[in-house]
Amino acid sequence: MHGESTTGLPRLHVIAGDGIISAGDYRERIGPILRVGGRSIAVHLRARTVQAARLFEVARWLAESARATGSLAVVNDRLDVVLAVGAGGIHLREDSLAPDDVRQVADSVAVDARGLRVGRSIHQARQAAMYTAEQLDYLVLGTIYATPSHPGREPLGPAVVADTVRLASVPVLAIGGIAPATLPNILAEGAHGAVVLSGVWAAHRPPDAVSRYLEVLDKEAAP
């Protein structure tokens, strides 16, 4: 039950970007994350520059490894890769395919579309009202705090999380500069959990960083 929720959606999502995907030791980097997180973690492959063949290789390994640990394997934007490797989820940008189209394509290739977790990024609270639970499984709202990966984007601040949660039909995950110390702030506003990148990969020991996030989630969930 470590960091899990009644929805079955992991509360901690970790992005593995191009640097991890292209690394020769990606198994040694991601594997410990999956083992520490288990069912409480989702790992997103976010490829912006790596070639399709490399993304497919890593995604296939991730999907198999995630099944072994009970984790959720997510590929950002690339529905073709998701379906080819049997990943558990796809995360959509604002300019990606529409959720309805994703479900339709998944159905057309004999995939259980309801078994596929579909999430989408939003950047304003009012966008949450545009989607139903039939279309999406979760929303990712950001950027909450200032982050080096989006230097020109004005941070929304945690108060916007509460507005988004009120409008949303699905769980809301927050992204952007969220550390274990600030995670309680967004949980207090109703966020289901957080999506993190540098908070894990910039740590001296990424698996220990994952444990710290999960400890906070467990503490906040305790009665």
Side-chain angles (χ1 to χ4, degrees):
M1 295 297 294
H2 190 49
E4 285 186 84
S5 70
T6 55
T7 66
L9 178 72
R11 300 182 71 193
L12 180 64
H13 293 230
V14 178
I15 295 174
D18 292 294
I20 302 295
I21 297 171
S22 61
D25 63 346
Y26 69 84
R27 296 176 181 84
E28 289 74 22
R29 297 191 186 195
I30 301 175
I33 299 296
L34 297 173
R35 290 190 290 272
V36 167
R39 295 181 180 277
S40 303
I41 195 171
V43 172
H44 293 229
L45 298 182
R46 187 174 72 183
R48 291 174 172 168
T49 60
V50 298
Q51 295 182 344
R54 179 63 169 189
L55 176 60
F56 175 77
E57 172 194 334
V58 179
R60 181 168 56 184
W61 172 85
L62 177 62
E64 293 173 355
S65 300
R67 282 191 286 270
T69 59
S71 310
L72 178 63
V74 180
V75 180
N76 286 24
D77 200 46
R78 293 294 299 271
L79 180 59
D80 55 340
V81 175
V82 169
L83 298 179
V85 305
I90 181 170
H91 185 75
L92 306 170
R93 303 188 309 248
E94 287 184 314
D95 59 353
S96 298
L97 287 172
D100 290 340
D101 292 335
V102 169
R103 302 263 187 219
Q104 183 177 2
V105 171
D107 276 334
S108 72
V109 294
V111 172
D112 177 9
R114 285 315 309 170
L116 181 67
R117 296 284 192 172
V118 182
R120 194 173 188 88
S121 293
I122 59 173
H123 299 99
Q124 297 177 11
R126 61 180 176 80
Q127 292 176 284
M130 298 168 57
Y131 303 103
T132 68
E134 291 300 312
Q135 296 173 305
L136 294 176
D137 295 285
Y138 66 90
L139 289 164
V140 172
L141 173 71
T143 302
I144 303 302
Y145 299 104
T147 173
S149 61
H150 295 87
R153 183 171 293 169
E154 184 72 20
L156 297 174
V160 178
V161 175
D163 296 333
T164 306
V165 170
R166 282 194 292 269
L167 294 171
S169 302
V170 295
V172 176
L173 299 162
I175 189 172
I178 299 169
T182 56
L183 179 54
N185 298 338
I186 62 115
L187 297 177
E189 299 291 352
H192 177 74
V195 183
V196 300
L197 193 158
S198 60
V200 167
W201 299 116
H204 179 63
R205 288 181 50 82
D208 290 348
V210 167
S211 293
R212 287 193 290 272
Y213 279 104
L214 293 177
E215 287 168 4
V216 174
L217 289 166
D218 284 345
K219 180 179 180 181
E220 295 297 320

